[in-house]
Amino acid sequence: MTDESQKEKLKQHFARRVTTQARVVLDTWQKIHGNNQQSAAFHGDFAIATEKLVRYAQRFEMDGHSEAGKKVLTLLEDWPTGENLPDALERQLQDAIELLSRNTLRRTDINTPDAPQQFRRTPVYIALANDEMARRMIRQLEFFGFRATAFSDADQLIEACALHKPETILMDVNFGDRDNAGIATIECLQERHDTPIPVIFMSSEDGTIETRLRASRCGGEEFFYPAVDPGQLIEKIESYTHGNTIEPYRVLVLDDSRAQAKFMETVLKKAGMTAHIITDPMQIIHALEEFSPEIIVLDMYMPGCTGMEIARVIRQQDKLHSVPIIYLSAEEDVSKQLHAMSLGGDDFLTKPIDPKHLVATIHNRGRRARSLLALMIRDSLTGLYNHTHTLHLLDQEIVRAKQKDQPLCFAMIDIDYFKKVNDTFGHPIGDRVLRSLSMFLKQRLRKTDHIGRYGGEEFAIILPDTRESDARNVLNEIRERFSELQQPAGDRDFNVTFSCGVAAWTGDSSQALCERADRALYKSKELGRNCVTAATD
């Protein structure tokens, strides 16, 4: 190797270190930008990561990264420690971050006219012997908002993980120069992290039980043989991502003792739950309507009524029939405890309450209640709301729109030529297309939007506080991007499009709103499909 080639190799190595650190800064910014109410917690990490970037960039003479980093650091001086990011400063920082993002484009991106994508996720690392498959995986993952990076050797992967822990790793079992070298690399990596990185292993061989056990012991969540379908992979990665963090349980506590109620509130909030406390049993109906609890904790004996009587009143409402009720009491008579539970209760905790016992009981009951609720209101294939619950949510949003005098839109989507997809590629591939569209919609719409599978290849979307023009623009952008997504089917790929109809709520009933969206959808079909049409009547 000549001196010049050696220098070039070193330059490329240093450039990768700067680029990797820049992406640490970008990822930390996404955590701040995506959740401003929690931004104070990331202030220190963001400043440290940016300072490190500037040091690297100056050392390796990468002026673009250095200037962008310095601009961020200057702005950070106006962010008070311990406070959430001020709105005005957030806009200025976003401009600086976009400058850094442009400097962090991969060489393959330089000639593209589009602005760099602002990824919302921590990275997915890919270590495959097949370079073409790695590139294909990256293209698919980036469609779904993941940042994916491929590595050609174990040292690069280990270095990158040291700088930034990935969301998950896709690892070839034999990645390297010997059998099971990929597993050995993962074993080395996992030792360096307090919490394990989820790993998806791929193998060209079926794998002995010894190989599979070894892969599982070092964090292997999946073992694919002989290859992994990109759609299948994305579904698996989605299940490991922070986008699926569990929402806090909503717990309603009724206890006439103010001191006991305050104690319960403190314990539940420390456990990451959302607690609503009342001390007057006569307020229970109002609290149920206002708070919509997932779990109810009732004191057994209160002035004017008992917890058992309150439980019977709660159980008379169909929508609360399956909400777990936990009794609290100093009652130690087992027969009385069993009698109380026969009158609508699900569990019984004796006072004084052990905080760990309380939290564990609520978690267990809450997890089971959510599982049962999901079976009732969600579509088993896509995980979206089913037809009945979607209409129920639409009724609720119409009531809310009336109360708050806000706009509301309802959209219907239908996959174009879906029968042809099933006939050509088979129903399993058709199911994969339905799941990919459901995931696409979930990732690109707001948490406040509701997405349902209306039936077959039809989807319904409820967009609260949204004007018709905004709804049409958002859905049109999703339509365009989805049409570019390569749908894998064995050794070939194909594209799928959808048609959409959007209707703005004008004071009419939910049924009338659905009918107008449906007519707009069929207008899209008449116009040649693969378009979004707004209702005109």
Side-chain angles (χ1 to χ4, degrees), residues 310-454:
I310 294 290
R312 290 183 66 181
V313 170
I314 291 171
R315 293 298 186 222
Q316 289 169 0
Q317 302 178 60
D318 288 343
K319 65 181 180 180
L320 299 171
H321 198 73
S322 60
V323 175
I325 294 177
I326 301 170
Y327 290 121
L328 298 179
S329 177
E331 180 63 68
E332 295 182 354
D333 187 322
V334 175
S335 62
K336 289 183 179 179
Q337 291 181 3
L338 292 173
H339 177 65
M341 286 194 287
S342 72
L343 297 175
D346 297 283
D347 218 325
F348 198 105
L349 297 179
T350 54
K351 297 179 180 179
I353 305 300
D354 180 346
K356 290 182 180 178
H357 191 182
L358 172 66
V359 171
T361 300
I362 289 177
H363 269 298
N364 292 336
R365 290 292 176 184
R367 185 166 56 246
R368 181 165 177 76
R370 282 187 177 179
S371 297
L372 292 172
L373 183 63
L375 290 173
M376 291 188 289
I377 68 173
R378 292 192 180 273
D379 168 59
S380 59
L381 177 66
T382 62
L384 301 178
Y385 294 121
N386 60 26
H387 180 102
T388 302
H389 193 68
T390 301
L391 294 180
H392 169 69
L393 290 171
L394 181 58
D395 285 330
Q396 285 187 328
E397 291 299 344
I398 286 176
V399 170
R400 191 171 289 119
K402 282 180 182 176
Q403 291 173 342
K404 297 185 176 181
D405 192 26
Q406 291 178 340
L408 171 69
C409 284
F410 181 73
M412 291 189 66
I413 284 174
D414 185 87
I415 297 176
D416 298 326
Y417 303 112
F418 187 68
K419 184 177 183 301
K420 186 177 178 181
V421 171
N422 280 332
D423 292 345
T424 305
F425 303 106
H427 287 276
I429 298 297
D431 289 346
R432 180 72 48 73
V433 170
L434 293 172
R435 288 197 295 268
S436 72
L437 178 54
S438 68
M439 195 157 33
F440 216 75
L441 293 170
K442 283 189 286 187
Q443 291 182 340
R444 283 161 172 75
L445 293 169
R446 304 167 300 181
K447 282 188 176 181
T448 52
D449 300 326
H450 307 296
I451 313 166
R453 186 181 177 195
Y454 212 63

Side-chain angles (χ1 to χ4, degrees), residues 23 104-109 112 115-126 134-150 230 233-234 237 440 443-444 481-482 484-486:
R23 287 180 169 168
T104 313
L105 286 172
R106 296 178 299 278
R107 278 178 292 178
T108 52
D109 295 329
T112 60
Q117 182 173 359
Q118 291 289 307
F119 292 96
R120 298 167 295 147
R121 310 265 181 130
T122 46
V124 175
Y125 289 165
I126 297 176
R135 285 193 292 272
R136 185 184 181 201
M137 290 293 182
I138 289 173
R139 285 196 302 270
Q140 291 291 97
L141 286 163
E142 291 186 349
F143 260 104
F144 286 92
F146 295 97
R147 171 158 60 80
T149 304
L233 169 69
I234 290 164
I237 292 175
F440 216 75
Q443 291 182 340
R444 283 161 172 75
R481 292 291 290 161
F482 186 72
E484 297 168 6
L485 177 63
Q486 294 290 305

